[in-house]
């Protein structure tokens, strides 16, 4: 009773960013919006040793099934993608690939590229403010504040 389940949002960074977006793909009937920061949206693109440790080798159909890029057409809800321009942990191209897949699927989303920022760009003061505004707008109907 303490929660309004008609307005549920989720956010995360890095693997949490991948999972935040995945919440809208796999559970879009529950989650209404997500903010995904610096996510590796396709495990075939990330550090080979990391993904193989958890997903196994060889690369098989399960990599495509878990890919936000390949599954972008299933997205429901509102999405904010943030990424650091010079991320040295997760290649920013991963976010660009998922953005391209969303565009090709005709999905509406927001994209914030933080110039000169590394991994975790979503926690910078500006990006964190934008994330808060995103959730207030999408979950509470608050208009976006003008600067």
């Amino acid at each position: 009773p303490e929660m309004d389940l008609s307005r549920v949002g989720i956010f995360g960074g890095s693997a949490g960013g991948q999972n935040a977006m995945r919440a809208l793909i796999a559970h879009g009937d529950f989650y209404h919006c997500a903010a995904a920061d610096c996510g590796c949206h396709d495990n075939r693109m990330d550090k080979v040793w990391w993904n193989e440790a958890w997903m196994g080798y060889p690369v098989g159909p399960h990599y495509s099934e878990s890919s936000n890029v390949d599954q972008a057409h299933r997205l429901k809800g509102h999405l904010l993608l943030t990424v650091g321009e010079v991320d040295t942990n997760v290649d920013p191209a991963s976010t660009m690939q998922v953005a391209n897949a969303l565009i090709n699927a005709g999905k509406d989303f927001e994209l914030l590229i933080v110039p000169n920022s590394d991994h975790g760009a979503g926690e910078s003061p500006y990006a964190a403010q934008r994330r808060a505004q995103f959730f207030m707008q999408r979950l509470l109907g608050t208009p976006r504040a003008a600067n």
Side-chain angles (χ1 to χ4, degrees):
E2 291 83 16
M3 295 178 66
D4 181 352
L5 297 180
S6 69
R7 296 186 288 196
V8 179
I10 186 170
F11 75 94
S14 197
Q18 177 184 22
N19 292 330
M21 180 177 173
R22 189 58 174 204
L24 295 181
I25 291 172
H27 304 288
D29 54 334
F30 181 77
Y31 293 101
H32 302 94
C33 60
D37 178 45
C38 300
C40 177
H41 296 285
D42 190 318
N43 291 315
R44 294 168 292 194
M45 182 178 180
D46 199 16
K47 300 168 283 300
V48 173
W49 61 269
W50 173 259
N51 295 302
E52 288 178 359
W54 309 110
M55 296 185 68
Y57 185 84
V59 173
H62 58 296
Y63 278 78
S64 178
E65 292 164 9
S66 68
S67 167
N68 289 349
V69 174
D70 290 354
Q71 304 302 320
H73 65 279
R74 296 177 48 210
L75 184 109
K76 294 180 187 174
H78 305 283
L79 176 65
L80 169 64
L81 295 170
T82 56
V83 64
E85 174 195 26
V86 291
D87 191 329
T88 58
N89 185 2
V90 174
D91 191 328
S94 183
T95 298
M96 296 301 114
Q97 285 180 344
V98 83
N100 188 54
L102 289 164
I103 290 167
N104 289 338
K107 299 294 182 175
D108 192 25
F109 66 99
E110 296 180 41
L111 173 62
L112 175 62
I113 302 167
V114 184
N116 238 6
S117 189
D118 200 352
H119 199 60
E123 297 307 315
S124 69
Y126 179 77
Q129 175 188 9
R130 288 284 306 274
R131 179 179 64 218
Q133 290 174 342
F134 170 79
F135 282 122
M136 289 188 314
Q137 180 183 18
R138 297 303 185 179
L139 295 176
L140 302 175
T142 306
R144 183 167 172 196
N147 290 341

